[in-house]
């Protein structure tokens, strides 16, 4: 698999692309006075990061051409009644808004059922559509393949009157599901198989979330979609490359139906990312089979998952800008998305101290009731980054990994006899450690070099690192959820035994952490850096301020993906 390595620029400036060039040319030539785009999700699942690309494109264009009245609609492509649910309709609206966009009009393709029907009748009247009574298998058989032309249906030359009566009967419920379809009469020998008399309507007795039981015939996507675009006077209908071969049919429908405008379909490459699956169908499978905890599981690249994970909407938009819009399908490296997220969080996140793997440390020369000041100065000019005074007492928590009993020379943290600085505070020296019966270190005994806070190390003291810490007396407990990639391989879809066989069993690990007191009371959605550890967000669902703090790791401080992939 070829994974694109994009050249990054620091700013999120808009790069032009072939679609924006087409639009600019259409405006310059006077073909259009303004631009109307649409984002047309089918409400059969939650939106994912791939949809974000399409959202940023469609809504982004409307924003860029705002001064000439450009608009973008959110349209639910809900013409297929079998898989669609209200829950998805709501989540999709929430996700679009969270990404920072607002639609000009909200539409449901199912509101246009009467119009599609009228268009179908118009095609019949022009001799361009007929009711076919072949079975599904016969139709498939007679369509031919790339090398073999299709053969016409015995019903292809049915008289118009008969077609009209049968089609009315289909609508009225006179015929069984699957017993007949309405087909376009185009060309059974067309090199493009999509033009070999495609089905326009099928009989399907299924309750629709919007229209209930009003209809028992439903239009096919390729027929309905251009009509939806035309009704809404969409000028540029942007879709992914799979639809390139469908464009002649799109144009045929626009040409022959009584439509109020002539939209133009333009295709662009979909977003694929390493270490993930992207289609709603596969995401649904992960949710249903409980490989993840719901659609908003922070390990999923659904919009609701990444929101809960703590990816800022702006970082997602910048990511979409950087990957750009092209005509070539490829796979984008996951580290690129993380790069955007990390860069944004590095600039914006306040700093806090939390210890994920706590080891208790006692300062033997500090009295039990003594308090020692520390001064956190993350950014001299930006107090909102968390600059403040705090204090600690005789006992503190440090990261177990910041101590080694027998450290190598290059380990600059604690070991017997070694010095380290407590972030914002004094230098300490390790005296000894206590162990339990299993030989594990359970307590460090240290001494505080009083008066070294904010000052250089005294002569003869080697202190080359500062570690984060949490005061035992005031620190609080928190649940911290550490997420790793959901799949073990770059291309889970390429797995012979299916993508589920490549799931990472260690994609979630939960730890009991110690956090500084201020962190325990933050609201859900509070995003910050845990000093030296990574970026974290108070969970949107389970975090209870003051009572039961829960934090999700958004992303580590360094690019862990590239490193792991190299292994
Ligand atoms: P899925 O396979 O995930 O269900 P879809 O294309 O069937 O995706 P729709 O709800 O029909 O999903 O998509 C709405 C819009 O989002 C369409 O215009 C579609 O082209 C676009 N889109 C979907 N997936 C991607 C992707 N990975 N990259 C870019 N655009 C996408
Ligand atoms: Mg789909």
């Amino acid at each position: 698999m070829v994974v694109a390595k994009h050249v990054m620029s620091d700013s999120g400036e808009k790069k032009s692309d072939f679609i924006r060039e087409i639009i600019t040319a259409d405006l310059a030539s006077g073909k259009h006075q303004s631009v109307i785009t649409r984002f047309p999700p089918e409400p059969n699942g939650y939106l994912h990061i791939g949809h974000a690309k399409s959202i940023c494109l469609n809504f982004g264009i409307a924003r860029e051409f705002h001064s000439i009245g450009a608009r973008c609609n959110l349209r639910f492509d809900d013409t297929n009644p079998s898989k669609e649910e209200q829950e998805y309709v709501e989540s999709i609206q929430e996700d679009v808004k969270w990404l920072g966009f607002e639609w000009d009009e909200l539409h449901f393709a199912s509101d246009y059922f009467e119009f599609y029907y009228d268009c179908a009748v118009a095609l019949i009247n022009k001799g361009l559509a007929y009711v076919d009574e072949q079975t599904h298998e016969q139709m498939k058989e007679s369509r031919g393949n790339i090398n073999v032309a299709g053969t016409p249906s015995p019903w292809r030359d049915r008289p118009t009157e008969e077609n009209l009566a049968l089609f009315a009967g289909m609508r009225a419920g006179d015929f069984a599901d699957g017993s007949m379809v309405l087909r376009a009469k185009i060309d059974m020998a067309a090199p493009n198989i999509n033009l070999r008399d495609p089905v326009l309507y099928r009989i399907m007795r299924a309750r629709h979330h919007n229209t209930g039981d009003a209809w028992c015939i439903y239009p096919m996507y390729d027929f309905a979609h251009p009509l939806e675009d035309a009704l809404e006077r969409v000028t540029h209908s942007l879709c992914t490359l799979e639809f390139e071969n469908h464009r002649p049919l799109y144009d045929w429908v626009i040409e022959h139906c009584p439509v109020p405008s002539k939209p133009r379909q333009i295709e662009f490459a979909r977003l694929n990312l390493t270490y993930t699956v992207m289609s709603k169908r596969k995401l649904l499978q992960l949710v249903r089979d409980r490989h993840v905890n719901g659609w908003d599981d922070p390990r999923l690249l659904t919009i609701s998952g990444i929101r809960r994970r703590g990816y800022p909407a702006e970082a997602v938009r910048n990511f979409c800008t950087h990957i750009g819009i092209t005509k070539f399908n490829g796979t984008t490296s996951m580290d690129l998305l993380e790069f955007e997220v990390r860069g944004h969080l590095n600039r914006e996140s306040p700093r806090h101290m939390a210890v994920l793997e706590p080891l208790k440390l006692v300062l033997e020369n500090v009295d039990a009731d003594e308090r020692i000041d520390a001064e956190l100065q993350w950014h001299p000019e930006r107090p909102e980054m968390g600059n403040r005074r705090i204090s600690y007492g005789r006992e503190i928590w440090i990261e177990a990994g910041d101590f080694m009993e027998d450290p190598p020379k290059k380990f600059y943290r604690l070991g017997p006899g070694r010095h380290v600085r407590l972030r914002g505070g004094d230098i300490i020296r390790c005296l000894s450690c206590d162990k339990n019966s299993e030989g594990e270190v359970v307590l460090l005994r240290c001494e505080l070099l009083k008066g070294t806070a904010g000052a250089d190390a005294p002569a003869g003291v080697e202190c080359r690192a500062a570690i984060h810490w949490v005061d035992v007396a005031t620190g609080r407990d928190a649940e911290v959820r550490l997420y790793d990639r959901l799949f073990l391989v770059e291309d889970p879809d390429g797995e012979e035994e299916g993508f589920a066989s490549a799931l990472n069993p260690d994609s979630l690990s939960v730890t009991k952490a110690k956090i500084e007191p201020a962190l325990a009371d933050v609201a859900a959605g509070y995003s910050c850096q845990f000093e030296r550890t990574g970026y974290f967000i108070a969970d949107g669902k389970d975090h209870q301020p003051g009572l039961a703090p829960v934090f999700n790791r958004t992303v580590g401080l360094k690019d862990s993906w590239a490193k792991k992939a190299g292994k």
Side-chain angles (χ1 to χ4, degrees), residues 283-407:
L283 295 170
L284 177 65
Q285 188 182 328
L286 290 170
V287 172
R288 287 233 172 111
D289 295 348
R290 302 194 171 268
H291 295 302
V292 294
N293 304 314
W295 283 100
D296 62 352
D297 188 299
R299 288 166 293 182
L300 287 181
L301 284 164
T302 52
I303 308 276
S304 53
I306 62 183
R307 173 165 66 233
R308 201 171 162 195
R309 174 90 173 237
Y311 286 16
E314 189 187 329
V316 177
R317 291 196 301 270
N318 286 343
F319 168 73
C320 290
T321 303
H322 277 140
I323 56 175
I325 299 293
T326 69
K327 274 259 179 209
F328 309 101
N329 272 325
T331 302
T332 300
S333 171
M334 181 64 198
D335 54 21
L336 209 86
L337 177 56
E338 290 203 339
F339 174 91
E340 288 292 347
V341 170
R342 196 180 292 114
H344 184 280
L345 293 175
N346 180 39
R347 290 186 296 276
E348 305 299 332
S349 305
R351 269 56 170 169
H352 285 277
M353 294 204 288
V355 171
L356 300 192
E357 230 187 299
L359 172 62
K360 196 180 268 187
L361 182 156
V362 54
L363 296 164
E364 308 242 280
N365 59 339
V366 171
D367 292 338
D369 57 356
E370 199 178 339
R371 298 298 295 174
I372 300 140
D373 288 333
E375 171 100 37
L376 298 177
Q377 269 283 6
W378 309 113
H379 198 298
E381 286 104 54
R382 293 182 62 193
E384 74 276 11
M385 298 301 271
N387 296 350
R388 69 213 123 102
R389 292 183 82 89
I390 54 173
S391 70
Y392 56 99
R394 182 177 159 83
E395 291 183 326
I396 58 175
W397 301 109
I398 68 159
E399 222 48 83
D402 283 337
F403 170 78
M404 280 181 89
E405 204 182 355
D406 189 13

Side-chain angles (χ1 to χ4, degrees), residues 143-315:
R143 264 192 133 186
N145 56 45
I146 338 171
N147 304 311
V148 181
T151 45
S153 161
W155 312 104
R156 198 169 195 264
D157 294 315
R158 226 194 253 284
T160 299
E161 287 312 314
E162 205 176 305
N163 280 318
L164 286 173
L166 283 172
F167 188 50
M170 281 170 63
R171 174 179 183 165
D174 296 346
F175 308 111
D177 285 18
S179 61
M180 52 183 74
V181 295
L182 184 74
R183 287 179 84 171
K185 193 170 177 179
I186 306 180
D187 179 2
M188 285 306 289
N192 182 338
I193 295 183
N194 292 311
L195 293 180
R196 293 186 188 173
D197 291 10
V199 173
L200 304 180
Y201 261 98
R202 63 213 194 284
I203 306 174
M204 184 156 69
R205 285 173 175 77
R207 212 185 143 68
H208 190 279
H209 78 103
N210 182 19
T211 54
D213 295 319
W215 293 85
C216 65
I217 56 171
Y218 289 96
M220 302 302 286
Y221 176 90
D222 281 338
F223 179 53
H225 204 85
L227 298 177
E228 296 157 22
D229 287 340
L231 259 190
E232 293 175 16
R233 296 175 192 270
V234 165
T235 53
H236 301 83
S237 176
L238 313 177
C239 64
T240 37
L241 280 177
E242 318 85 88
F243 293 99
E244 196 166 15
N245 280 332
H246 297 242
R247 187 176 354 118
L249 177 53
Y250 185 101
D251 292 341
W252 185 91
V253 171
I254 293 297
E255 187 185 338
H256 296 288
C257 289
V259 291
S261 78
K262 291 196 186 310
R264 168 175 174 188
Q265 174 179 307
I266 308 171
E267 310 85 18
F268 63 95
R270 67 193 294 115
L271 170 67
N272 299 303
L273 269 184
T274 54
Y275 295 102
T276 191
V277 293
M278 201 74 100
S279 102
K280 282 180 273 172
R281 187 176 54 77
K282 291 170 189 161
L283 295 170
L284 177 65
Q285 188 182 328
L286 290 170
V287 172
R288 287 233 172 111
D289 295 348
R290 302 194 171 268
H291 295 302
V292 294
N293 304 314
W295 283 100
D296 62 352
D297 188 299
R299 288 166 293 182
L300 287 181
L301 284 164
T302 52
I303 308 276
S304 53
I306 62 183
R307 173 165 66 233
R308 201 171 162 195
R309 174 90 173 237
Y311 286 16
E314 189 187 329

Side-chain angles (χ1 to χ4, degrees), residues 520-539:
D521 301 321
V522 299
Y526 180 80
S527 173
C528 64
Q529 185 190 104
F530 287 2
E531 171 66 5
R532 294 178 65 229
T533 308
Y535 298 96
F536 290 78
I537 185 168
D539 186 60

Side-chain angles (χ1 to χ4, degrees), residues 42 44 51 83 280:
E42 185 180 355
N44 61 347
H51 292 112
K83 297 175 294 184
K280 282 180 273 172

